[in-house]
Amino acid sequence: MEEQQQAGHNEPKVGKKGFKDFVKLIASTNPPKLILILALILTLIQTTAGLIVPLMTKGLIDGLTTSALNKSVILLLLGAFVIQAIASGISIYMLNYAGQRVVATLRTKMWNKVLSLRMPYFDRNRTGDTMSRITNDTSQIMTLIADYLVSFVSNIVAVVGGVALLFYLDWVMSLIILSLVPLTLLILLPVGKKMYKISKKQQDEMAGLTSVLSQVIGEIRLVKAYGTEKQESEAGDSRIRKMFAFGLQEARILALIGPLFTFVMTAVLVVILGVGECV
């Protein structure tokens, strides 16, 4: 109970200060800026090429005929797909390289910092917690840079370009589709906050489990000598059950989001078909 209160008290608040501290942390690792810029440019090219495809195939869909499918259109479509594939592959590699560089530098800094700490720190903190911060937590930064950064940029470009393309093709339908934005935000914002809290608690429990495992395994002779296998088993089971409970919370949220968005998209499709019939 005391540990839970302490963990809740020490839990950082999400806000501008936390984001600024995170940016400073990443900047302190001297990330390869040129590689990141090139990767983001390739991501923009990839997303733009993906937006060109529906624009070129508009005539085929409207006319329901292959008369518009001439050699130049085929070459343009093929070129767009090839550019999209090449840009995607190179940008993914570059972002993973940048992420690995940042994480390696950060782990080196943390390792050297741990070695320079005085003994009272090790008396106050469990070994497994420190190990988890160096290994597990830094891996999350790798995931952020390699996966979420490219998704964030490409999604912004896709949304802006997609909206512009929709208004070019049919502004009435575009307004109907844009009506989804406020509803989507009402769903995503609270869900995002809840998912962050669950993820943070999972990381804390993972650090606690790592601490228990490293301590017990490191002192297994003492555990066997004093016959404390049952107590240590209960301590490990408690951590595992908590992680399982947080995993179920995350699963329930994901299970709710899927059907909810399906319902919203179906409702919008019905509205679009209804408007199309009226027009």
Side-chain angles (χ1 to χ4, degrees):
M1 186 70 179
E2 184 178 351
E3 289 182 358
Q4 292 178 349
Q5 291 176 351
Q6 185 177 0
H9 179 72
N10 294 333
E11 182 175 338
K13 296 182 179 179
V14 184
K16 293 182 178 179
K17 187 177 185 301
F19 180 74
K20 288 180 180 179
D21 291 339
F22 177 75
V23 172
K24 289 180 180 179
L25 176 64
I26 299 299
S28 68
T29 63
N30 192 23
K33 298 180 182 62
L34 181 59
I35 290 178
L36 285 173
I37 292 172
L38 289 175
L40 294 179
I41 291 174
L42 288 171
T43 301
L44 296 178
I45 294 173
Q46 169 201 344
T47 309
T48 305
L51 292 172
I52 291 174
V53 174
L55 185 61
M56 290 190 299
T57 56
K58 177 180 181 294
L60 298 176
I61 297 173
D62 290 344
L64 294 177
T65 178
T66 58
S67 59
L69 191 61
N70 52 44
K71 186 176 181 180
S72 61
V73 173
I74 295 176
L75 289 176
L76 285 172
L77 284 172
L78 183 61
F81 283 125
V82 170
I83 291 173
Q84 189 176 10
I86 293 175
S88 174
I90 297 176
S91 65
I92 289 173
Y93 175 79
M94 285 184 167
L95 285 171
N96 275 276
Y97 173 82
Q100 294 287 359
R101 276 274 303 273
V102 168
V103 170
T105 305
L106 188 58
R107 283 173 175 167
T108 301
K109 285 177 173 288
M110 293 178 68
W111 177 237
N112 291 330
K113 179 64 176 178
V114 168
L115 293 177
S116 67
L117 293 173
R118 298 182 180 276
M119 286 306 300
Y121 169 84
F122 300 98
D123 295 334
R124 294 192 307 268
N125 296 275
R126 295 173 297 186
T127 303
D129 288 343
T130 305
M131 292 170 56
S132 180
R133 301 310 174 193
I134 297 176
T135 56
N136 296 333
D137 290 3
T138 51
S139 296
Q140 297 301 316
I141 297 177
M142 169 65 196
T143 303
L144 175 66
I145 296 175
D147 297 336
Y148 296 130
L149 180 61
V150 63
S151 299
F152 177 74
V153 174
S154 61
N155 287 339
I156 289 179
V157 177
V159 168
V160 174
V163 169
L165 185 60
L166 284 172
F167 272 98
Y168 172 75
L169 298 175
D170 193 326
W171 67 271
V172 176
M173 297 299 179
S174 302
L175 290 176
I176 296 174
I177 294 174
L178 284 178
S179 65
L180 276 175
V181 174
L183 182 60
T184 304
L185 290 177
L186 287 176
I187 297 172
L188 288 181
L189 290 179
V191 168
K193 291 180 180 179
K194 183 66 176 178
M195 290 291 285
Y196 170 80
K197 291 180 180 179
I198 293 174
S199 177
K200 179 64 175 62
K201 290 177 180 177
Q202 281 181 321
Q203 286 294 109
D204 292 339
E205 290 300 327
M206 177 63 75
L209 179 60
T210 304
S211 177
V212 171
L213 293 176
S214 63
Q215 183 177 359
V216 172
I217 294 174
E219 301 175 357
I220 192 64
R221 294 183 182 277
L222 291 176
V223 172
K224 295 289 186 180
Y226 288 96
T228 58
E229 292 94 333
K230 184 178 180 180
Q231 293 90 322
E232 299 299 345
S233 174
E234 291 176 353
D237 288 345
S238 175
R239 295 286 185 180
I240 293 171
R241 284 195 299 269
K242 287 179 181 178
M243 290 183 63
F244 177 70
F246 290 135
L248 288 182
Q249 290 182 24
E250 188 176 20
R252 283 193 290 269
I253 293 175
L254 294 175
L256 178 64
I257 291 176
L260 187 59
F261 272 105
T262 301
F263 172 77
V264 172
M265 294 302 296
T266 303
V268 172
L269 180 60
V270 171
V271 172
I272 290 175
L273 293 175
V275 172
E277 288 293 331
C278 295
V279 175

